[in-house]
Amino acid sequence: MVAIKDMLDRQTVIRADGRKVDELRPVRITRHFTDVPEGSVLVECGNTRVMCTATFTAGVPRWRKDSGLGWVTAEYAMLPASTGKRCKREHANRKGRSMEIERLIGRSLRTVVNMKALGEYTVTVDCDVIQADGGTRTASITGAWVALHDALAMWVEAGKLERIPLTGQVAAISM
C-alpha cells in the first residue's frame, strides 16, 4: 500500500490560493480589535475573518447559582454578507450548524478555565464570521481563546480577579 504522503509527493497539487497540500493558511490575530468589550480580536486564517469578543456578566445560569462557580459560554454567527451569497440573519430560528459550533467553542474554552477562580460570573464569547473562506469554526475557537484571555487579564488588571483563571491554551485547525 502506498502512503498518502508518497502519493502527494508524486503529484503536483496546486490549491486555488497557491498553497501546498501540507501548508496552512496564513494566520493573523489582531488583539484589541474593538474598544468596548473586555476582550476582542480579529482572527484571520487565509481569507476567513472572524471577530471574537469576550464580555462579563454578573451571575451564572440558574442551575449554577450559589455554587461559587463561574460559567463560560459562546455564541457563533455568520454575518449575512460573509459568503459569496447573502445568508439570512439567524434570530429565533437558529441553524443546527451554528448551535453545534457555539457548543463546540464553549466546551473547548471551558476545558481550560478554573470556574471556581472565576467566581459567579458568566463570560460570553461572541464569534461573528465577517468573511468565510473555510475553517470558520476553528478560527472561532482560536480567536475565542485569545479574546477570553485578554478579557480575564483586563479583570486581573482592574483588581476584579486575583489571577487569570486559565489552566491552559486552546487553538484549533481544520484538515
Side-chain angles (χ1 to χ4, degrees):
M1 184 161 77
V2 178
I4 292 174
K5 182 167 177 14
D6 293 337
M7 282 179 18
L8 293 174
D9 286 344
R10 285 188 243 139
Q11 296 176 359
T12 304
V13 179
I14 300 173
R15 296 181 188 215
D17 62 3
R19 287 182 296 135
K20 297 176 186 172
V21 294
D22 61 349
E23 187 177 6
L24 298 177
R25 292 179 171 107
V27 176
R28 183 169 60 198
I29 298 175
T30 305
R31 296 170 106 158
H32 313 293
F33 185 65
T34 59
D35 295 334
V36 178
E38 288 91 340
S40 72
V41 302
L42 174 67
V43 60
E44 299 171 86
C45 297
N47 290 325
T48 293
R49 293 183 182 93
V50 183
M51 181 176 70
C52 302
T53 59
T55 54
F56 285 87
T57 306
V60 291
R62 185 176 47 218
W63 55 268
R64 196 151 192 143
K65 197 165 177 51
D66 299 324
S67 68
L69 302 173
W71 188 245
V72 176
T73 188
E75 293 188 15
Y76 168 95
M78 291 184 62
L79 297 182
S82 62
T83 62
K85 182 177 125 181
R86 186 185 189 280
C87 57
K88 289 187 174 215
R89 284 189 194 273
E90 295 182 22
H91 295 290
N93 299 326
R94 305 273 300 142
K95 290 182 185 171
R97 176 184 183 276
S98 295
M99 289 190 299
E100 179 262 324
I101 292 171
E102 58 192 38
R103 285 184 191 127
L104 177 64
I105 297 165
R107 286 180 184 138
S108 298
L109 296 175
R110 286 191 294 273
T111 65
V112 295
V113 176
N114 178 341
M115 298 297 177
K116 188 163 186 64
L118 182 57
E120 288 202 23
Y121 288 96
T122 297
V123 182
T124 302
V125 181
D126 291 289
C127 300
D128 293 302
V129 178
I130 298 169
Q131 183 169 293
D133 187 38
T136 62
R137 77 185 69 205
T138 55
S140 295
I141 290 169
T142 301
W145 185 88
V146 176
L148 174 64
H149 172 275
D150 289 355
L152 294 168
M154 180 182 274
W155 267 43
V156 168
E157 207 172 284
K160 297 178 181 180
L161 289 172
E162 191 174 308
R163 65 179 206 66
I164 296 175
L166 291 173
T167 60
Q169 301 173 336
V170 175
I173 188 166
S174 60
M175 331 179 15

